[in-house]
Amino acid sequence: MSRESERGSGADLPGETAGDAPGEALPGALPDALRTELIAFRRDLHMHPELGNQEFRTTAALKARLERAGLEPRVLDIGTGLVCDIGTAREDGVRPMLALRADIDALPIPDTKLGVPYRSTVPDRAHACGHDVHTTVVLGAGLVLAELAKRGQLPRPVRLIFQPAEEVLPGGAPDAIESGVLDGVGRIIGVHCDPRVDAGKIGLRAGAITSACDRLEVSLDGPGGHTARPHLTTDLVTAAAKVVTEVPALVARRIDARSGLAVTWGRIESGHACNVIPQHAELSGTVRCLDLDAWRKAPDLVHGAIQEIADLYRAKSEVNYIRGVPPVVNDPEVTDLLRESMELRRGPYSVEDTEQSLGGEDFSWYLEHVPGAMARLGVRTPGERTVRDLHQGDFDADESAITAGVELFTAAALIDGVR
């Protein structure tokens, strides 16, 4: 069962800290009452997961809580998701804002957790990627920063972005950007739950931290025929098999191996009878890439390789290359901001280096416009041996991660605001 650690300042107001803990001089601690409220908010989201572009209940809950804090959130033009500014620009000129981004959608899989009261109440829907935690962290940071703004302790305006449809290629980020969420933004930060990192810590990496991910659909056609006479027709099954085996190898030899460009097939279908050469075959898979420049070249490389193999076996090919997301490439300066922020709050051992993941994240689209960075937010209970991986029905998070995430974001906003 998920739990909230006992760590906390016990302060009644944001900014009141006690003792010799890291971050003593930095305002924006999370009050106990708000910590309890945020856990309840996360559990409510977890019980009521909504798929991409259908997050109406989630959007309404966020809007109501932000308005109760005296803020003025705006629903995005696409109908779900929110943007909300905290603080006002100084008269001596508008300084670019720091944006805090959360994704709010869930996954189309069943929640298989046992023994927790906040299990999903929606069949075949679950927050199995931690977006409910991301959302709660940004909400909590926003509420703390709003209180600091009222007291004149927020040095620069901050923008909250609650983005829908991260799990739907090419993600909801392009639509959010089209709605103007980056107007006036100079930097952007986000977190993603990581079940391999202990709660209370974050993982950081400058440069690429996730992979690009595109979808590939291929159709092959031929006249068909009898398996006794393959030489008189297009042997379509063999052609499909060659596309499956040869295209990844061809692509890998036509680009720098350090780019990690990989074509991997997940589905192949063709034929209905053992003695009939079919007229149609279908293949689908993914293209993943660790390097931004190689990702931009990938469509032409993959198209060319498929065409070569299909021509060799006299098959007509049609390729549907569906752009997904580029890799998330963390800006070194913004990565340093996250490192400094976490270390000020929780000390140097609260930050660990992390590796690049082959998973995709549409946070990358924001980084095509402004510098930013994503941290891996630890959600594993310290000492727990079982790792509940992302996108699995039993995924859960140690809820003390919410406190750590709020502390990270509030510190980043305060430090960035005085630079």
Side-chain angles (χ1 to χ4, degrees):
M1 177 177 174
S2 177
R3 65 174 179 80
E4 161 68 14
S5 70
E6 298 299 321
R7 184 189 183 282
S9 66
D12 293 327
L13 291 173
E16 296 183 358
T17 58
D20 298 322
E24 180 179 4
L26 192 67
L30 185 61
D32 288 339
L34 181 55
R35 181 185 297 109
T36 300
E37 179 191 349
L38 291 176
I39 292 173
F41 191 91
R42 178 258 170 171
R43 293 184 177 189
D44 180 71
L45 294 185
H46 202 86
M47 293 173 66
H48 302 93
E50 297 174 298
L51 298 184
N53 296 316
Q54 302 174 23
E55 311 95 334
F56 298 104
R57 183 185 186 277
T58 302
T59 298
L62 289 165
K63 185 172 184 290
R65 184 61 184 93
L66 292 168
E67 289 177 339
R68 188 151 58 90
L71 300 171
E72 299 179 354
R74 174 178 68 84
V75 177
L76 300 184
D77 297 342
I78 49 182
T80 60
L82 292 164
V83 61
C84 182
D85 291 347
I86 300 171
T88 56
R90 296 177 176 178
E91 294 181 359
D92 58 354
V94 177
R95 301 176 67 194
M97 288 180 285
L98 176 71
L100 317 180
R101 175 267 195 176
D103 38 11
I104 66 175
D105 58 323
L107 286 162
I109 64 175
D111 189 336
T112 61
K113 290 190 298 297
L114 300 174
V116 297
Y118 50 85
R119 184 178 175 182
S120 172
T121 61
V122 184
D124 299 320
R125 302 287 185 269
H127 269 295
C129 199
H131 293 189
D132 54 333
V133 175
H134 308 165
T135 300
T136 305
V137 165
V138 172
L139 173 64
L143 296 175
V144 172
L145 293 173
E147 183 63 28
L148 293 178
K150 291 177 183 177
R151 291 158 43 177
Q153 291 182 278
L154 185 64
R156 186 189 303 188
V158 173
R159 174 165 294 167
L160 313 180
I161 299 172
F162 298 95
Q163 176 218 299
E166 191 276 332
E167 298 287 355
V168 182
L169 288 180
D175 287 332
I177 294 169
E178 185 68 22
S179 293
V181 300
L182 291 182
D183 294 349
V185 168
R187 290 177 166 185
I188 188 168
I189 56 176
V191 293
H192 197 295
C193 289
D194 191 335
R196 300 165 301 171
V197 177
D198 284 350
K201 296 183 177 182
I202 61 170
L204 285 178
R205 176 188 177 91
I209 192 172
T210 69
S211 169
C213 181
D214 299 335
R215 193 164 77 238
L216 184 60
E217 298 173 351
V218 181
S219 296
L220 299 176
D221 291 283
H226 199 293
T227 57
R229 293 176 289 277
H231 58 292
L232 298 180
T233 187
T234 296
D235 190 350
L236 204 64
V237 172
T238 298
K242 289 296 184 179
V243 168
V244 167
T245 58
E246 298 297 332
V247 166
L250 275 178
V251 170
R253 288 297 178 268
R254 293 176 178 178
I255 200 161
D256 193 325
R258 291 171 295 182
S259 70
L261 181 61
V263 178
T264 306
W265 304 102
R267 183 181 70 94
I268 177 171
E269 293 184 16
S270 186
H272 301 284
C274 66
N275 62 343
V276 177
I277 294 175
Q279 296 177 318
H280 184 71
E282 292 183 357
L283 307 87
S284 58
T286 61
V287 180
R288 297 183 186 270
C289 185
L290 305 179
D291 178 76
L292 186 58
D293 290 336
W295 175 74
R296 290 176 174 142
K297 299 173 183 175
D300 290 339
L301 287 170
V302 171
H303 272 92
I306 292 171
Q307 187 66 52
E308 283 186 36
I309 301 301
D311 288 347
L312 185 62
Y313 288 88
R314 298 182 295 177
K316 180 182 177 182
S317 64
E318 183 175 333
V319 179
N320 184 21
Y321 193 108
I322 303 163
R323 269 302 198 196
V325 294
V328 172
V329 181
N330 282 347
D331 178 80
E333 289 188 6
V334 184
T335 303
D336 286 344
L337 170 66
L338 291 173
R339 184 181 301 275
E340 180 182 355
S341 300
M342 195 65 174
E343 289 181 350
L344 278 172
R345 289 293 196 198
R346 297 198 166 210
Y349 297 106
S350 64
V351 181
E352 59 185 53
D353 294 333
T354 191
E355 62 187 11
Q356 186 175 7
S357 164
L358 285 173
E361 227 305 339
D362 80 345
F363 183 76
S364 54
W365 290 119
Y366 299 108
L367 306 187
E368 296 280 290
H369 300 270
V370 297
M374 172 169 280
R376 297 222 167 99
L377 181 68
V379 296
R380 179 180 63 193
T381 299
E384 184 176 359
R385 293 180 178 272
T386 302
V387 176
R388 296 181 175 89
D389 204 1
L390 302 172
H391 288 221
Q392 300 295 319
D394 65 347
F395 173 78
D396 204 355
D398 185 319
E399 289 170 320
S400 64
I402 296 171
T403 301
V406 171
E407 290 178 350
L408 170 68
F409 278 164
T410 54
L414 293 169
I415 295 170
D416 184 65
V418 297
R419 286 183 170 177

